[in-house]
Amino acid sequence: MQERKPFYITTPIYYPSGKFHIGTAYTTVAADALKRYKLLQGYDAYMLTGLDEHGQKIETVAREKGKEPQQYVDEMADEAKRLWKTMDINYDDFIRTTEERHMKVVQEIFDYFMDTGDIYKGEYEGLYCTPCETFFTETQLVDGKCPDCGREVKPMKEEAYFFNMKKYAKKLLEYYDSHPDFVKPDYRKTEMINNFIKPGLEDLCVSRTSFDWGVKVRKDPKHVVYVWLDALTNYITALGYKSDDDHLFQKYWPASVQIVGKDIARFHLIYWPIFLMALGLEPPKTIMVHNWIMMKDGKMSKSKGNVVYPELLINRYGLDATKYFLLKALPVSQDGLFTPEEFVERFNIDLCNDLGNLVNRTVGMINKYYGGNVPKYNSDKNEQDKDLEKVTINQKNEFVNKMNELQFSNALGEIWGIISRCNKYIDETTPWILAKEENKEKLDSVMYHLVQSIRFVAVLLQPFMPETAESIFEQLGLTKSEYKTWNSLDEYHMELGNVTVIEVGKPLFVRLDKDAEIEYIKDEMKK
Ligand code: MSP
């Protein structure tokens, strides 16, 4: 048997500073869809997620709740795992930065950098944003406040260790140049070059003495390792790098795709590859930076009362509809918007009208005209048959292109391209008239083509909406696994054998009362 190719996907590790909302969930939902897609294509896909549990921010939140930091992060880790279970996230490992397997290696990496001279001791004076755990220079501030979160910064001075970023700036630019797939989409790379590298990369302060909830520097334990150096290394410590058993590291590194939100692009596109170069390791093949899901009044925040938690949508509208909305909502080049109106509209139009009705009508017609048995192929009989085949295959190829570029929203758009063409095909071929005219040959052809094109839709939907895809296969009687494989898409006219649709179609999605549901979501958001 042919060896399956490794494909390593990571999400950022999340700060457990509060409940995850639909925006934070986005990165993980996208990584999960990518993993399922790669599994479908036969890769040995491996996905990592986890929690970033150190740092002053977490310590403060824990204390505010009257808890020891460790107790607090333990509870949050359980909560995070519960959410990912509810969302059916198919991860392989969940790393926590407070785990021994991680901390030990962070200390070793720090020691190593001290030995090579990449880390040196100095003094840091600057403006510090506590929630972001980041020092800024005066010029980096926006209106005198933190450029990332907009909160107050305060002057701080401390003895600290620094990482020699300057030394690697040229090497990083060369790396960008020679690895065009390293950053997707491409414009994020230009941003890094123009905003941070060209103006001159500063050495990075990589230790703190103002608090101690972190990994201690082994040779100088009054210092703790800066959370970002601690956190970024999770992607390799989870694979057993520098441990007694590093077979996962040998197998999966360099990562195939690391998915991160735009706010943490700088850490991943600049510091992370530099740390790896300094360790003599290869940077990941691709880092994909996505935009944000925004609300009409800006960022989601508890104080604005505009937060949407995934459970609200999942419990009422189902997991697949929730995932569909999230993945569809974020275009490549700008932020996406969540509004209750838009959510209900997408549900009713894309899911109920376009997809649900197509499957339902097809099952209904095959029952009505054929007692449920899908007719066999005997060459194209309608003028439109060839076009439906062509569009189905083209959209599938375009889907592959979009997935290669990690453009999930556009990839879904390609699937909906097939769905729209199928609906138009029904209107053009008017099966009810063919039935009345007893034009059996043409009617056979219409039903057969619909089943094949919907089969393409279901196969392509599997990574995004697994339950919906399964229901389509079941309703069409395509229950054998051979109909569901990636390779089954090589041939439009795959031999289906004797296939029988279910007797009574089940609606995939039930149409929502628009006004009532908009009201419902708005009310729930206030809670
Ligand atoms: N702990 C760091 C990551 C360290 S990785 C070595 C962190 N954590 S986070 O919890 O703040 O963010 C987790 C992910 O959620 C990030 O990719 C972030 O961009 C993403 N999002 C947070 N809010 C978001 C939206 N509103 N929309 C889309 N993604 C969002 O950063």
Side-chain angles (χ1 to χ4, degrees), residues 12-15 23-24 27 52 228 231 235 261 263-264 290 292-293:
I13 46 173
Y14 289 62
Y15 291 127
T24 30
T27 319
D52 186 358
W228 273 100
Y235 303 127
D263 55 320
I264 53 176
H290 64 74
W292 268 35
I293 296 187

Side-chain angles (χ1 to χ4, degrees), residues 391-406:
V391 169
T392 303
I393 292 164
N394 283 351
Q395 306 283 111
K396 178 235 156 180
N397 292 337
E398 272 308 305
F399 172 91
V400 173
N401 292 339
K402 302 289 157 42
M403 286 303 282
N404 284 342
E405 290 307 310
L406 306 167

